[in-house]
Amino acid sequence: MTRLIHSWPLLGLLASVLWLSACSGPQPTSSTTVTESSQLRGEPSGSYDSIITLAVTANQEYRRIIERTLAAKLIDRGFEVARLADDDLTWDDPEQLTRTVNDLAARAGADGVLITTLVREEGEQNYVPMQVIQRPISVGFGAHAQTYMDTTVAPGYYEQTRTYVLKTTLFDTASGQSVWELYSNTVNPGSLESAARDYAVAVAEVLNQDVQHGSRP
């Protein structure tokens, strides 16, 4: 049974606001997420079969897409997942937010709360120099055949790389302590949907391997 707590060490974390802002300039059609590191903190007790997902952002649309996409990938791997309602959350009142999470944890019998936060956004601009491309072209037949080199010049351009560093933390609902965390980099997201999908697949796979679950009948 989930034991509720009055104060969590994650209050300061919940008070922050995560913004996945759109990248400037032309964007690729897909993104890539790389998991940089993950670790278990201490010795987690029990099994984390039921989890609440929460993306810390004041933008309801961002939160909805991230949480639902992550929930779907976790369910595929045998977790039970619950979400808070899509209504505005009290980001300026961490204690009220904690009570809201506690209430859902009690009703869902959740073992843990999985929090997604944006650590930082990194931008890098690299110059790709001009390229001269040559290819042989043959014209004519027989003794009149001639070959010449067709030359194409590709002008130089600047290539923009945008990286979002995300931290995913699993908190135990009974103790309020973090038991697992993962850092991931999402590079050049073409859209929020593609970024959320790549992020969710990466996180769900590592959590599935690191954290005990699936013990419930």
Side-chain angles (χ1 to χ4, degrees):
M1 178 180 296
T2 301
R3 177 166 52 88
L4 299 186
I5 50 182
H6 299 289
S7 177
W8 289 11
L10 55 79
L11 288 180
L13 178 65
L14 291 177
S16 66
V17 177
L18 176 141
W19 291 100
L20 294 179
S21 58
C23 301
S24 59
Q27 296 301 315
T29 56
S30 62
S31 60
T32 301
T33 295
V34 177
T35 55
E36 293 297 323
S37 64
S38 68
Q39 65 172 338
L40 288 169
R41 303 178 64 87
E43 294 293 335
S45 58
S47 178
Y48 294 89
D49 301 288
S50 179
I51 290 176
I52 296 172
T53 61
L54 176 61
V56 183
T57 171
N59 186 305
Q60 292 190 62
E61 182 68 6
Y62 291 173
R63 184 169 71 86
R64 180 184 64 81
I65 292 175
I66 294 170
E67 291 176 5
R68 288 186 178 183
T69 305
L70 181 55
K73 300 305 179 183
L74 291 171
I75 291 171
D76 288 344
R77 288 160 178 79
F79 292 92
E80 297 176 10
V81 184
R83 293 180 57 249
L84 295 169
D86 288 333
D87 302 332
D88 286 330
L89 296 179
T90 53
W91 299 110
D92 57 345
D93 187 348
E95 293 185 359
Q96 177 58 45
L97 182 56
T98 298
R99 287 192 291 270
T100 301
V101 175
N102 273 337
D103 180 63
L104 176 59
R107 289 184 283 109
D111 306 306
V113 180
L114 194 63
I115 306 286
T116 300
T117 55
L118 178 68
V119 177
R120 63 183 178 275
E121 176 186 340
E122 302 172 346
E124 184 177 357
Q125 186 170 265
N126 297 313
Y127 181 72
V128 179
M130 177 186 69
Q131 299 182 50
V132 178
I133 304 170
Q134 292 185 321
R135 59 173 182 165
I137 301 293
S138 297
V139 296
F141 298 93
H144 300 287
Q146 294 182 351
T147 300
Y148 68 94
M149 299 302 293
D150 178 63
T151 301
T152 302
V153 177
Y157 61 95
Y158 285 94
E159 185 176 65
Q160 182 80 18
T161 300
R162 185 70 60 181
T163 301
Y164 297 92
V165 181
L166 299 177
K167 180 181 180 182
T168 310
T169 308
L170 177 64
F171 289 90
D172 185 277
T173 54
S175 67
Q177 300 298 317
S178 62
V179 295
W180 177 87
E181 65 181 28
L182 177 144
Y183 286 90
S184 61
N185 294 340
T186 299
V187 181
N188 284 347
S191 67
L192 177 61
E193 288 78 5
S194 66
R197 181 179 62 252
D198 289 348
Y199 162 76
V201 170
V203 171
E205 185 59 31
V206 179
L207 186 66
N208 182 52
Q209 297 173 1
D210 288 354
V211 174
Q212 180 181 345
H213 64 96
S215 63
R216 294 184 181 180

